[in-house]
Amino acid sequence: MERKKMTIPDILEAKNKGKKITMLTAYDFPLASFIDQAGIDIILVGDSLGMVVLGYENTLPVTMEEMLHHIKAVKRAIKYALLVGDMPYLSFHKSKEDAIYNAGRFIKEAGCDAVKLEYYPGVIEITKAIVQAGIPVMGHIGLTPQTAIQLGGFKVQGREAKAAQALLEAAVSFEEVGCFSIVLECVPDKVAKIITGKLKIPTIGIGAGPDCDGQVLVTHDMLGLFERFLPKFAKQYINLAPQIIEAIKKFKEEVEKGVFPDKSHSFTIPEEELKKIKY
Ligand code: KIV
C-alpha cells in the first residue's frame, strides 16, 4: 500500500480503530531518516536533546534556538512521519502571547506539524491559547522532567489515589482545551489504562504500561547511544555504543599501522601527468 504523510486526523483515527501509535525521538538528519524509513508514525524532537545529544545534566538549559536548529535538520529527513517539536523550559510559561509566538516559530520556521507541552499548573490556559491560534498541541503529564524538582525527582507519578486523580484531571483538561494526544510518562499501568479509557484522544505512553494507545521511546536509549543511564522503562533493542567504539579503535589501529587507506580508498593520476609535476 502506498504510504502517505501522517496527519493529526490519522493519529486520532488510530485510537478509534485500535491501531497502536508509534513515536520515537530524533534530533538530526540521519536518525530521523532511518526512523521515517522504518515506518514510525510520529517523530518527536524532544527536549531530551539537551541530555542525549548536547550533554547537559537535565533538560532545563535547552533553548528555543537549540530546538529550532535540530528540528530543522529532522524536518529535512522526514517524508511521512508527523513531526512534533517539544517546547523547551520557559518558552511557554511567561504569557499566552509569548507561548503562541514560540509555538508559532516551531511551525513557521522549523516546519513542525505540532508542538508538545509538559504539564505545569498554568499550562492549560496557555495550551488553549496556542490551540486557538491554530497550532496542534500534544500534552505531556506524569513525570514531566522540566518540573521534576517539584515532583520530588525522577520517579513514578500517580501512585497514590489523590495523585492519580490529579493526573486524570490534568489529562481531561488537556483534552478539553483541544490537545490531539497526550504523553503519559512514568505512570502506573492501571492509572494509564483508566486515563486512556476516559479520553477520546490517544495516549502515548513511556513507562506507562501496555494499555496506552501508543508508545514512545528516546531513540538514543533504545539504540544504546546514551551511556549515562538507562531508565527502567526503556528497552534497549541494540547496544550500538560498544560497536561504535570498536570501529573507531579499528580505524585508529589501521591508520597507525599504515593499513588504511589502501589502494581501494585512494585516487590515481596517469603516470605521464605525474611526470610533468616539478618538485
Ligand atoms: O523530551 C523527550 O524526549 C520526551 C519524551 C520522553 C516523551 O518528552
Side-chain angles (χ1 to χ4, degrees), residues 201-239:
I201 57 171
T203 57
I204 303 180
I206 175 161
D211 293 308
C212 296
D213 299 304
Q215 296 292 328
V216 53
L217 282 178
V218 169
T219 300
H220 285 55
D221 290 338
M222 65 160 287
L223 298 183
L225 290 173
F226 182 62
E227 291 191 291
R228 232 191 262 160
F229 60 86
L230 183 69
K232 172 180 155 70
F233 56 70
K235 179 166 174 181
Q236 197 176 72
Y237 284 82
I238 188 169
N239 189 8

PDB file of all heavy atoms in Angstrom, residues 201-239:
ATOM      1  N   ILE A 201      -9.029  11.318  22.896  1.00  0.00           N
ATOM      2  CA  ILE A 201      -7.758  11.480  22.167  1.00  0.00           C
ATOM      3  C   ILE A 201      -6.779  10.391  22.619  1.00  0.00           C
ATOM      4  O   ILE A 201      -6.889   9.878  23.736  1.00  0.00           O
ATOM      5  CB  ILE A 201      -7.140  12.888  22.395  1.00  0.00           C
ATOM      6  CG1 ILE A 201      -6.933  13.159  23.888  1.00  0.00           C
ATOM      7  CG2 ILE A 201      -8.009  13.952  21.757  1.00  0.00           C
ATOM      8  CD1 ILE A 201      -6.138  14.428  24.169  1.00  0.00           C
ATOM      9  N   PRO A 202      -5.813  10.040  21.753  1.00  0.00           N
ATOM     10  CA  PRO A 202      -4.889   8.958  22.111  1.00  0.00           C
ATOM     11  C   PRO A 202      -3.879   9.333  23.194  1.00  0.00           C
ATOM     12  O   PRO A 202      -3.430  10.487  23.269  1.00  0.00           O
ATOM     13  CB  PRO A 202      -4.157   8.638  20.803  1.00  0.00           C
ATOM     14  CG  PRO A 202      -4.566   9.635  19.816  1.00  0.00           C
ATOM     15  CD  PRO A 202      -5.649  10.491  20.361  1.00  0.00           C
ATOM     16  N   THR A 203      -3.534   8.328  24.018  1.00  0.00           N
ATOM     17  CA  THR A 203      -2.441   8.479  24.977  1.00  0.00           C
ATOM     18  C   THR A 203      -1.225   7.767  24.383  1.00  0.00           C
ATOM     19  O   THR A 203      -1.358   6.717  23.751  1.00  0.00           O
ATOM     20  CB  THR A 203      -2.778   7.838  26.323  1.00  0.00           C
ATOM     21  OG1 THR A 203      -3.084   6.451  26.106  1.00  0.00           O
ATOM     22  CG2 THR A 203      -3.953   8.523  26.997  1.00  0.00           C
ATOM     23  N   ILE A 204      -0.066   8.365  24.604  1.00  0.00           N
ATOM     24  CA  ILE A 204       1.180   7.742  24.132  1.00  0.00           C
ATOM     25  C   ILE A 204       2.059   7.568  25.365  1.00  0.00           C
ATOM     26  O   ILE A 204       2.420   8.546  26.022  1.00  0.00           O
ATOM     27  CB  ILE A 204       1.851   8.622  23.052  1.00  0.00           C
ATOM     28  CG1 ILE A 204       0.862   8.836  21.899  1.00  0.00           C
ATOM     29  CG2 ILE A 204       3.139   7.964  22.561  1.00  0.00           C
ATOM     30  CD1 ILE A 204       1.364   9.671  20.765  1.00  0.00           C
ATOM     31  N   GLY A 205       2.339   6.321  25.709  1.00  0.00           N
ATOM     32  CA  GLY A 205       2.999   6.040  26.978  1.00  0.00           C
ATOM     33  C   GLY A 205       4.496   5.880  26.872  1.00  0.00           C
ATOM     34  O   GLY A 205       5.039   5.461  25.842  1.00  0.00           O
ATOM     35  N   ILE A 206       5.163   6.254  27.969  1.00  0.00           N
ATOM     36  CA  ILE A 206       6.580   5.933  28.149  1.00  0.00           C
ATOM     37  C   ILE A 206       6.694   5.586  29.635  1.00  0.00           C
ATOM     38  O   ILE A 206       6.501   6.442  30.493  1.00  0.00           O
ATOM     39  CB  ILE A 206       7.511   7.089  27.676  1.00  0.00           C
ATOM     40  CG1 ILE A 206       8.970   6.766  27.985  1.00  0.00           C
ATOM     41  CG2 ILE A 206       7.107   8.462  28.212  1.00  0.00           C
ATOM     42  CD1 ILE A 206       9.987   7.585  27.179  1.00  0.00           C
ATOM     43  N   GLY A 207       6.891   4.322  29.922  1.00  0.00           N
ATOM     44  CA  GLY A 207       6.848   3.884  31.317  1.00  0.00           C
ATOM     45  C   GLY A 207       5.436   3.962  31.866  1.00  0.00           C
ATOM     46  O   GLY A 207       5.230   4.271  33.033  1.00  0.00           O
ATOM     47  N   ALA A 208       4.446   3.691  31.019  1.00  0.00           N
ATOM     48  CA  ALA A 208       3.048   3.790  31.445  1.00  0.00           C
ATOM     49  C   ALA A 208       2.259   2.532  31.056  1.00  0.00           C
ATOM     50  O   ALA A 208       1.030   2.577  30.954  1.00  0.00           O
ATOM     51  CB  ALA A 208       2.410   5.042  30.844  1.00  0.00           C
ATOM     52  N   GLY A 209       2.953   1.441  30.848  1.00  0.00           N
ATOM     53  CA  GLY A 209       2.289   0.161  30.600  1.00  0.00           C
ATOM     54  C   GLY A 209       1.776  -0.019  29.185  1.00  0.00           C
ATOM     55  O   GLY A 209       1.865   0.899  28.357  1.00  0.00           O
ATOM     56  N   PRO A 210       1.203  -1.213  28.936  1.00  0.00           N
ATOM     57  CA  PRO A 210       0.841  -1.587  27.556  1.00  0.00           C
ATOM     58  C   PRO A 210      -0.528  -1.097  27.084  1.00  0.00           C
ATOM     59  O   PRO A 210      -0.868  -1.284  25.924  1.00  0.00           O
ATOM     60  CB  PRO A 210       0.836  -3.119  27.620  1.00  0.00           C
ATOM     61  CG  PRO A 210       0.480  -3.434  29.036  1.00  0.00           C
ATOM     62  CD  PRO A 210       1.009  -2.314  29.891  1.00  0.00           C
ATOM     63  N   ASP A 211      -1.315  -0.495  27.982  1.00  0.00           N
ATOM     64  CA  ASP A 211      -2.697  -0.162  27.585  1.00  0.00           C
ATOM     65  C   ASP A 211      -2.866   1.229  26.982  1.00  0.00           C
ATOM     66  O   ASP A 211      -3.976   1.631  26.648  1.00  0.00           O
ATOM     67  CB  ASP A 211      -3.634  -0.333  28.784  1.00  0.00           C
ATOM     68  CG  ASP A 211      -3.727  -1.795  29.186  1.00  0.00           C
ATOM     69  OD1 ASP A 211      -4.005  -2.620  28.295  1.00  0.00           O
ATOM     70  OD2 ASP A 211      -3.472  -2.116  30.360  1.00  0.00           O
ATOM     71  N   CYS A 212      -1.763   1.973  26.881  1.00  0.00           N
ATOM     72  CA  CYS A 212      -1.849   3.284  26.214  1.00  0.00           C
ATOM     73  C   CYS A 212      -2.136   3.045  24.732  1.00  0.00           C
ATOM     74  O   CYS A 212      -1.912   1.950  24.209  1.00  0.00           O
ATOM     75  CB  CYS A 212      -0.521   4.036  26.359  1.00  0.00           C
ATOM     76  SG  CYS A 212      -0.136   4.420  28.068  1.00  0.00           S
ATOM     77  N   ASP A 213      -2.588   4.104  24.047  1.00  0.00           N
ATOM     78  CA  ASP A 213      -2.897   3.962  22.623  1.00  0.00           C
ATOM     79  C   ASP A 213      -1.639   3.896  21.758  1.00  0.00           C
ATOM     80  O   ASP A 213      -1.699   3.529  20.586  1.00  0.00           O
ATOM     81  CB  ASP A 213      -3.776   5.135  22.161  1.00  0.00           C
ATOM     82  CG  ASP A 213      -5.098   5.169  22.908  1.00  0.00           C
ATOM     83  OD1 ASP A 213      -5.818   4.158  22.870  1.00  0.00           O
ATOM     84  OD2 ASP A 213      -5.389   6.191  23.565  1.00  0.00           O
ATOM     85  N   GLY A 214      -0.522   4.310  22.328  1.00  0.00           N
ATOM     86  CA  GLY A 214       0.740   4.247  21.593  1.00  0.00           C
ATOM     87  C   GLY A 214       1.902   4.222  22.554  1.00  0.00           C
ATOM     88  O   GLY A 214       1.712   4.325  23.777  1.00  0.00           O
ATOM     89  N   GLN A 215       3.101   4.094  22.019  1.00  0.00           N
ATOM     90  CA  GLN A 215       4.307   4.049  22.857  1.00  0.00           C
ATOM     91  C   GLN A 215       5.372   4.951  22.249  1.00  0.00           C
ATOM     92  O   GLN A 215       5.487   5.065  21.035  1.00  0.00           O
ATOM     93  CB  GLN A 215       4.867   2.617  22.925  1.00  0.00           C
ATOM     94  CG  GLN A 215       3.937   1.618  23.599  1.00  0.00           C
ATOM     95  CD  GLN A 215       3.751   1.867  25.098  1.00  0.00           C
ATOM     96  OE1 GLN A 215       4.671   2.343  25.785  1.00  0.00           O
ATOM     97  NE2 GLN A 215       2.571   1.551  25.625  1.00  0.00           N
ATOM     98  N   VAL A 216       6.146   5.574  23.133  1.00  0.00           N
ATOM     99  CA  VAL A 216       7.286   6.394  22.679  1.00  0.00           C
ATOM    100  C   VAL A 216       8.525   5.979  23.465  1.00  0.00           C
ATOM    101  O   VAL A 216       8.430   5.609  24.637  1.00  0.00           O
ATOM    102  CB  VAL A 216       7.014   7.912  22.868  1.00  0.00           C
ATOM    103  CG1 VAL A 216       6.594   8.283  24.261  1.00  0.00           C
ATOM    104  CG2 VAL A 216       8.231   8.760  22.451  1.00  0.00           C
ATOM    105  N   LEU A 217       9.672   6.024  22.805  1.00  0.00           N
ATOM    106  CA  LEU A 217      10.958   5.849  23.488  1.00  0.00           C
ATOM    107  C   LEU A 217      11.911   6.934  23.000  1.00  0.00           C
ATOM    108  O   LEU A 217      11.752   7.473  21.895  1.00  0.00           O
ATOM    109  CB  LEU A 217      11.571   4.481  23.182  1.00  0.00           C
ATOM    110  CG  LEU A 217      11.010   3.259  23.920  1.00  0.00           C
ATOM    111  CD1 LEU A 217      11.723   1.989  23.447  1.00  0.00           C
ATOM    112  CD2 LEU A 217      11.145   3.397  25.438  1.00  0.00           C
ATOM    113  N   VAL A 218      12.907   7.219  23.845  1.00  0.00           N
ATOM    114  CA  VAL A 218      14.005   8.079  23.411  1.00  0.00           C
ATOM    115  C   VAL A 218      14.933   7.186  22.571  1.00  0.00           C
ATOM    116  O   VAL A 218      15.415   6.156  23.058  1.00  0.00           O
ATOM    117  CB  VAL A 218      14.737   8.677  24.639  1.00  0.00           C
ATOM    118  CG1 VAL A 218      16.033   9.351  24.234  1.00  0.00           C
ATOM    119  CG2 VAL A 218      13.818   9.659  25.367  1.00  0.00           C
ATOM    120  N   THR A 219      15.117   7.538  21.325  1.00  0.00           N
ATOM    121  CA  THR A 219      15.843   6.670  20.390  1.00  0.00           C
ATOM    122  C   THR A 219      17.247   6.338  20.883  1.00  0.00           C
ATOM    123  O   THR A 219      17.722   5.206  20.705  1.00  0.00           O
ATOM    124  CB  THR A 219      15.880   7.362  19.004  1.00  0.00           C
ATOM    125  OG1 THR A 219      14.519   7.531  18.594  1.00  0.00           O
ATOM    126  CG2 THR A 219      16.611   6.540  17.982  1.00  0.00           C
ATOM    127  N   HIS A 220      17.909   7.304  21.513  1.00  0.00           N
ATOM    128  CA  HIS A 220      19.271   7.045  21.998  1.00  0.00           C
ATOM    129  C   HIS A 220      19.278   5.979  23.098  1.00  0.00           C
ATOM    130  O   HIS A 220      20.271   5.272  23.256  1.00  0.00           O
ATOM    131  CB  HIS A 220      19.932   8.345  22.462  1.00  0.00           C
ATOM    132  CG  HIS A 220      20.362   9.207  21.305  1.00  0.00           C
ATOM    133  ND1 HIS A 220      19.492   9.601  20.328  1.00  0.00           N
ATOM    134  CD2 HIS A 220      21.571   9.717  20.971  1.00  0.00           C
ATOM    135  CE1 HIS A 220      20.142  10.326  19.426  1.00  0.00           C
ATOM    136  NE2 HIS A 220      21.402  10.406  19.793  1.00  0.00           N
ATOM    137  N   ASP A 221      18.174   5.845  23.855  1.00  0.00           N
ATOM    138  CA  ASP A 221      18.062   4.775  24.851  1.00  0.00           C
ATOM    139  C   ASP A 221      17.882   3.428  24.153  1.00  0.00           C
ATOM    140  O   ASP A 221      18.536   2.453  24.498  1.00  0.00           O
ATOM    141  CB  ASP A 221      16.844   4.991  25.775  1.00  0.00           C
ATOM    142  CG  ASP A 221      17.034   6.171  26.735  1.00  0.00           C
ATOM    143  OD1 ASP A 221      18.199   6.542  26.987  1.00  0.00           O
ATOM    144  OD2 ASP A 221      16.019   6.689  27.224  1.00  0.00           O
ATOM    145  N   MET A 222      16.985   3.369  23.168  1.00  0.00           N
ATOM    146  CA  MET A 222      16.686   2.069  22.556  1.00  0.00           C
ATOM    147  C   MET A 222      17.813   1.553  21.673  1.00  0.00           C
ATOM    148  O   MET A 222      17.916   0.362  21.417  1.00  0.00           O
ATOM    149  CB  MET A 222      15.350   2.093  21.794  1.00  0.00           C
ATOM    150  CG  MET A 222      15.311   2.992  20.599  1.00  0.00           C
ATOM    151  SD  MET A 222      13.978   2.548  19.472  1.00  0.00           S
ATOM    152  CE  MET A 222      14.602   1.057  18.762  1.00  0.00           C
ATOM    153  N   LEU A 223      18.691   2.479  21.211  1.00  0.00           N
ATOM    154  CA  LEU A 223      19.804   2.042  20.344  1.00  0.00           C
ATOM    155  C   LEU A 223      21.136   1.917  21.096  1.00  0.00           C
ATOM    156  O   LEU A 223      22.145   1.547  20.495  1.00  0.00           O
ATOM    157  CB  LEU A 223      19.987   3.035  19.180  1.00  0.00           C
ATOM    158  CG  LEU A 223      18.811   3.195  18.209  1.00  0.00           C
ATOM    159  CD1 LEU A 223      19.187   4.161  17.088  1.00  0.00           C
ATOM    160  CD2 LEU A 223      18.409   1.841  17.618  1.00  0.00           C
ATOM    161  N   GLY A 224      21.124   2.264  22.397  1.00  0.00           N
ATOM    162  CA  GLY A 224      22.380   2.177  23.147  1.00  0.00           C
ATOM    163  C   GLY A 224      23.354   3.280  22.763  1.00  0.00           C
ATOM    164  O   GLY A 224      24.562   3.065  22.693  1.00  0.00           O
ATOM    165  N   LEU A 225      22.826   4.474  22.523  1.00  0.00           N
ATOM    166  CA  LEU A 225      23.680   5.604  22.144  1.00  0.00           C
ATOM    167  C   LEU A 225      23.878   6.590  23.289  1.00  0.00           C
ATOM    168  O   LEU A 225      24.549   7.609  23.118  1.00  0.00           O
ATOM    169  CB  LEU A 225      23.062   6.352  20.940  1.00  0.00           C
ATOM    170  CG  LEU A 225      23.094   5.601  19.613  1.00  0.00           C
ATOM    171  CD1 LEU A 225      22.298   6.358  18.557  1.00  0.00           C
ATOM    172  CD2 LEU A 225      24.522   5.395  19.141  1.00  0.00           C
ATOM    173  N   PHE A 226      23.228   6.322  24.430  1.00  0.00           N
ATOM    174  CA  PHE A 226      23.358   7.213  25.586  1.00  0.00           C
ATOM    175  C   PHE A 226      23.822   6.363  26.756  1.00  0.00           C
ATOM    176  O   PHE A 226      23.086   5.495  27.239  1.00  0.00           O
ATOM    177  CB  PHE A 226      22.005   7.867  25.885  1.00  0.00           C
ATOM    178  CG  PHE A 226      22.037   8.850  27.032  1.00  0.00           C
ATOM    179  CD1 PHE A 226      22.827   9.987  26.964  1.00  0.00           C
ATOM    180  CD2 PHE A 226      21.275   8.638  28.168  1.00  0.00           C
ATOM    181  CE1 PHE A 226      22.855  10.901  28.014  1.00  0.00           C
ATOM    182  CE2 PHE A 226      21.290   9.542  29.225  1.00  0.00           C
ATOM    183  CZ  PHE A 226      22.087  10.679  29.142  1.00  0.00           C
ATOM    184  N   GLU A 227      25.046   6.603  27.191  1.00  0.00           N
ATOM    185  CA  GLU A 227      25.658   5.676  28.157  1.00  0.00           C
ATOM    186  C   GLU A 227      25.470   6.075  29.611  1.00  0.00           C
ATOM    187  O   GLU A 227      25.770   5.292  30.502  1.00  0.00           O
ATOM    188  CB  GLU A 227      27.155   5.567  27.862  1.00  0.00           C
ATOM    189  CG  GLU A 227      27.444   4.844  26.560  1.00  0.00           C
ATOM    190  CD  GLU A 227      28.910   4.523  26.430  1.00  0.00           C
ATOM    191  OE1 GLU A 227      29.700   5.475  26.257  1.00  0.00           O
ATOM    192  OE2 GLU A 227      29.263   3.339  26.522  1.00  0.00           O
ATOM    193  N   ARG A 228      24.987   7.323  29.867  1.00  0.00           N
ATOM    194  CA  ARG A 228      24.966   7.801  31.253  1.00  0.00           C
ATOM    195  C   ARG A 228      24.052   6.956  32.146  1.00  0.00           C
ATOM    196  O   ARG A 228      24.393   6.612  33.245  1.00  0.00           O
ATOM    197  CB  ARG A 228      24.532   9.268  31.274  1.00  0.00           C
ATOM    198  CG  ARG A 228      25.505  10.145  32.057  1.00  0.00           C
ATOM    199  CD  ARG A 228      24.917  11.520  32.280  1.00  0.00           C
ATOM    200  NE  ARG A 228      25.406  12.490  31.320  1.00  0.00           N
ATOM    201  CZ  ARG A 228      24.767  13.632  31.059  1.00  0.00           C
ATOM    202  NH1 ARG A 228      23.633  13.929  31.650  1.00  0.00           N
ATOM    203  NH2 ARG A 228      25.260  14.462  30.187  1.00  0.00           N
ATOM    204  N   PHE A 229      22.858   6.643  31.671  1.00  0.00           N
ATOM    205  CA  PHE A 229      21.948   5.748  32.387  1.00  0.00           C
ATOM    206  C   PHE A 229      20.862   5.272  31.429  1.00  0.00           C
ATOM    207  O   PHE A 229      20.654   5.877  30.374  1.00  0.00           O
ATOM    208  CB  PHE A 229      21.299   6.431  33.610  1.00  0.00           C
ATOM    209  CG  PHE A 229      20.482   7.635  33.262  1.00  0.00           C
ATOM    210  CD1 PHE A 229      19.151   7.517  32.895  1.00  0.00           C
ATOM    211  CD2 PHE A 229      21.050   8.908  33.281  1.00  0.00           C
ATOM    212  CE1 PHE A 229      18.392   8.630  32.556  1.00  0.00           C
ATOM    213  CE2 PHE A 229      20.303  10.034  32.939  1.00  0.00           C
ATOM    214  CZ  PHE A 229      18.974   9.889  32.578  1.00  0.00           C
ATOM    215  N   LEU A 230      20.206   4.170  31.816  1.00  0.00           N
ATOM    216  CA  LEU A 230      19.080   3.656  31.019  1.00  0.00           C
ATOM    217  C   LEU A 230      17.879   3.545  31.953  1.00  0.00           C
ATOM    218  O   LEU A 230      17.891   2.759  32.899  1.00  0.00           O
ATOM    219  CB  LEU A 230      19.418   2.268  30.447  1.00  0.00           C
ATOM    220  CG  LEU A 230      18.348   1.647  29.544  1.00  0.00           C
ATOM    221  CD1 LEU A 230      18.215   2.401  28.230  1.00  0.00           C
ATOM    222  CD2 LEU A 230      18.662   0.180  29.274  1.00  0.00           C
ATOM    223  N   PRO A 231      16.835   4.373  31.732  1.00  0.00           N
ATOM    224  CA  PRO A 231      15.665   4.293  32.621  1.00  0.00           C
ATOM    225  C   PRO A 231      15.045   2.893  32.596  1.00  0.00           C
ATOM    226  O   PRO A 231      15.129   2.194  31.580  1.00  0.00           O
ATOM    227  CB  PRO A 231      14.693   5.316  32.022  1.00  0.00           C
ATOM    228  CG  PRO A 231      15.473   6.131  31.060  1.00  0.00           C
ATOM    229  CD  PRO A 231      16.646   5.321  30.623  1.00  0.00           C
ATOM    230  N   LYS A 232      14.445   2.496  33.724  1.00  0.00           N
ATOM    231  CA  LYS A 232      13.822   1.157  33.839  1.00  0.00           C
ATOM    232  C   LYS A 232      12.825   0.898  32.694  1.00  0.00           C
ATOM    233  O   LYS A 232      12.706  -0.203  32.188  1.00  0.00           O
ATOM    234  CB  LYS A 232      13.096   1.069  35.191  1.00  0.00           C
ATOM    235  CG  LYS A 232      12.247  -0.180  35.394  1.00  0.00           C
ATOM    236  CD  LYS A 232      11.586  -0.145  36.761  1.00  0.00           C
ATOM    237  CE  LYS A 232      10.311  -0.964  36.840  1.00  0.00           C
ATOM    238  NZ  LYS A 232      10.463  -2.389  36.793  1.00  0.00           N
ATOM    239  N   PHE A 233      12.094   1.958  32.293  1.00  0.00           N
ATOM    240  CA  PHE A 233      11.046   1.750  31.288  1.00  0.00           C
ATOM    241  C   PHE A 233      11.576   1.652  29.860  1.00  0.00           C
ATOM    242  O   PHE A 233      10.848   1.298  28.952  1.00  0.00           O
ATOM    243  CB  PHE A 233       9.992   2.862  31.364  1.00  0.00           C
ATOM    244  CG  PHE A 233      10.542   4.264  31.232  1.00  0.00           C
ATOM    245  CD1 PHE A 233      11.040   4.740  30.038  1.00  0.00           C
ATOM    246  CD2 PHE A 233      10.558   5.109  32.331  1.00  0.00           C
ATOM    247  CE1 PHE A 233      11.532   6.031  29.917  1.00  0.00           C
ATOM    248  CE2 PHE A 233      11.047   6.411  32.237  1.00  0.00           C
ATOM    249  CZ  PHE A 233      11.542   6.864  31.020  1.00  0.00           C
ATOM    250  N   ALA A 234      12.860   1.982  29.671  1.00  0.00           N
ATOM    251  CA  ALA A 234      13.381   1.998  28.301  1.00  0.00           C
ATOM    252  C   ALA A 234      13.924   0.624  27.924  1.00  0.00           C
ATOM    253  O   ALA A 234      14.714   0.048  28.663  1.00  0.00           O
ATOM    254  CB  ALA A 234      14.482   3.041  28.182  1.00  0.00           C
ATOM    255  N   LYS A 235      13.496   0.102  26.807  1.00  0.00           N
ATOM    256  CA  LYS A 235      14.041  -1.176  26.332  1.00  0.00           C
ATOM    257  C   LYS A 235      15.140  -0.889  25.313  1.00  0.00           C
ATOM    258  O   LYS A 235      14.927  -0.143  24.357  1.00  0.00           O
ATOM    259  CB  LYS A 235      12.915  -2.004  25.694  1.00  0.00           C
ATOM    260  CG  LYS A 235      13.404  -3.333  25.167  1.00  0.00           C
ATOM    261  CD  LYS A 235      12.255  -4.268  24.867  1.00  0.00           C
ATOM    262  CE  LYS A 235      12.778  -5.525  24.199  1.00  0.00           C
ATOM    263  NZ  LYS A 235      11.711  -6.448  23.855  1.00  0.00           N
ATOM    264  N   GLN A 236      16.312  -1.509  25.566  1.00  0.00           N
ATOM    265  CA  GLN A 236      17.419  -1.313  24.618  1.00  0.00           C
ATOM    266  C   GLN A 236      17.338  -2.421  23.566  1.00  0.00           C
ATOM    267  O   GLN A 236      17.584  -3.579  23.862  1.00  0.00           O
ATOM    268  CB  GLN A 236      18.734  -1.385  25.389  1.00  0.00           C
ATOM    269  CG  GLN A 236      19.891  -0.803  24.620  1.00  0.00           C
ATOM    270  CD  GLN A 236      21.172  -0.803  25.440  1.00  0.00           C
ATOM    271  OE1 GLN A 236      21.760  -1.835  25.678  1.00  0.00           O
ATOM    272  NE2 GLN A 236      21.594   0.368  25.873  1.00  0.00           N
ATOM    273  N   TYR A 237      16.986  -2.051  22.346  1.00  0.00           N
ATOM    274  CA  TYR A 237      16.840  -3.053  21.288  1.00  0.00           C
ATOM    275  C   TYR A 237      18.181  -3.440  20.685  1.00  0.00           C
ATOM    276  O   TYR A 237      18.319  -4.500  20.083  1.00  0.00           O
ATOM    277  CB  TYR A 237      15.885  -2.529  20.191  1.00  0.00           C
ATOM    278  CG  TYR A 237      14.436  -2.595  20.625  1.00  0.00           C
ATOM    279  CD1 TYR A 237      13.881  -1.604  21.434  1.00  0.00           C
ATOM    280  CD2 TYR A 237      13.625  -3.665  20.271  1.00  0.00           C
ATOM    281  CE1 TYR A 237      12.558  -1.674  21.854  1.00  0.00           C
ATOM    282  CE2 TYR A 237      12.305  -3.748  20.679  1.00  0.00           C
ATOM    283  CZ  TYR A 237      11.783  -2.755  21.469  1.00  0.00           C
ATOM    284  OH  TYR A 237      10.476  -2.846  21.894  1.00  0.00           O
ATOM    285  N   ILE A 238      19.144  -2.534  20.788  1.00  0.00           N
ATOM    286  CA  ILE A 238      20.501  -2.824  20.308  1.00  0.00           C
ATOM    287  C   ILE A 238      21.442  -1.930  21.107  1.00  0.00           C
ATOM    288  O   ILE A 238      21.057  -0.821  21.502  1.00  0.00           O
ATOM    289  CB  ILE A 238      20.632  -2.584  18.777  1.00  0.00           C
ATOM    290  CG1 ILE A 238      21.982  -3.066  18.253  1.00  0.00           C
ATOM    291  CG2 ILE A 238      20.414  -1.131  18.404  1.00  0.00           C
ATOM    292  CD1 ILE A 238      22.068  -3.105  16.727  1.00  0.00           C
ATOM    293  N   ASN A 239      22.658  -2.423  21.379  1.00  0.00           N
ATOM    294  CA  ASN A 239      23.616  -1.593  22.112  1.00  0.00           C
ATOM    295  C   ASN A 239      24.728  -1.170  21.159  1.00  0.00           C
ATOM    296  O   ASN A 239      25.722  -1.882  20.972  1.00  0.00           O
ATOM    297  CB  ASN A 239      24.175  -2.375  23.311  1.00  0.00           C
ATOM    298  CG  ASN A 239      24.991  -1.473  24.225  1.00  0.00           C
ATOM    299  OD1 ASN A 239      25.012  -0.254  24.035  1.00  0.00           O
ATOM    300  ND2 ASN A 239      25.665  -2.046  25.187  1.00  0.00           N
TER     301      ASN A 239
END
